[in-house]
Amino acid sequence: MSDDVVRQLVSIAALRVEGVHALAREPRSGIHLAHRARTGAVGAGSVCIDIAGQQVVVGVALVAVDGVALPVVAENVRREVATAVSRMTQLRVIQVDVLIADIDLEVLEEQS
């Protein structure tokens, strides 16, 4: 299974979750970079993965919609990503780290 395929599955699954505006272009926080360093995960930008045998650890950085409950969005992303990756690849998802890297404020700016 290609790392790129798994990263694409993660991206699609995360974007399906209500309250996710987009994937972060480049995370602004060192937390996502620390995830990569800690796990040895590979990937540029918003999704990184570490596959070891039949197990995978995932990190995803995203932009949330303004006004949503961020912990709920993060938990829903964790669940959706783990389900999609497990179902489509048969890899065992050990962990899904979610970083809310930004909040989309365009709706507020349009109302001003």
Side-chain angles (χ1 to χ4, degrees):
M1 178 83 40
S2 162
D3 289 356
D4 288 339
V5 169
V6 177
R7 278 195 295 273
Q8 187 67 24
L9 290 172
V10 170
S11 298
I12 292 167
L15 290 169
R16 284 188 192 140
V17 174
E18 186 175 343
V20 174
H21 173 72
L23 297 178
R25 291 177 196 219
E26 278 298 321
R28 296 180 189 167
S29 168
I31 295 170
H32 199 61
L33 298 174
H35 167 81
R36 289 182 192 159
R38 184 179 77 247
T39 64
V42 296
S46 56
V47 177
C48 57
I49 61 169
D50 180 25
I51 299 175
Q54 292 299 309
Q55 299 180 340
V56 64
V57 174
V58 176
V60 61
L62 53 87
V63 178
V65 174
D66 181 53
V68 299
L70 299 178
V72 172
V73 170
E75 184 56 38
N76 290 342
V77 168
R78 279 186 197 93
R79 185 173 32 259
E80 185 70 26
V81 165
T83 299
V85 170
S86 295
R87 184 180 63 239
M88 296 187 74
T89 67
Q90 307 231 330
L91 291 170
R92 183 169 169 248
V93 179
I94 301 299
Q95 181 176 328
V96 178
D97 292 329
V98 178
L99 170 67
I100 309 286
D102 204 353
I103 297 174
D104 178 46
L105 299 175
E106 289 180 19
V107 174
L108 291 178
E109 292 171 1
E110 290 172 5
Q111 293 176 352
S112 305

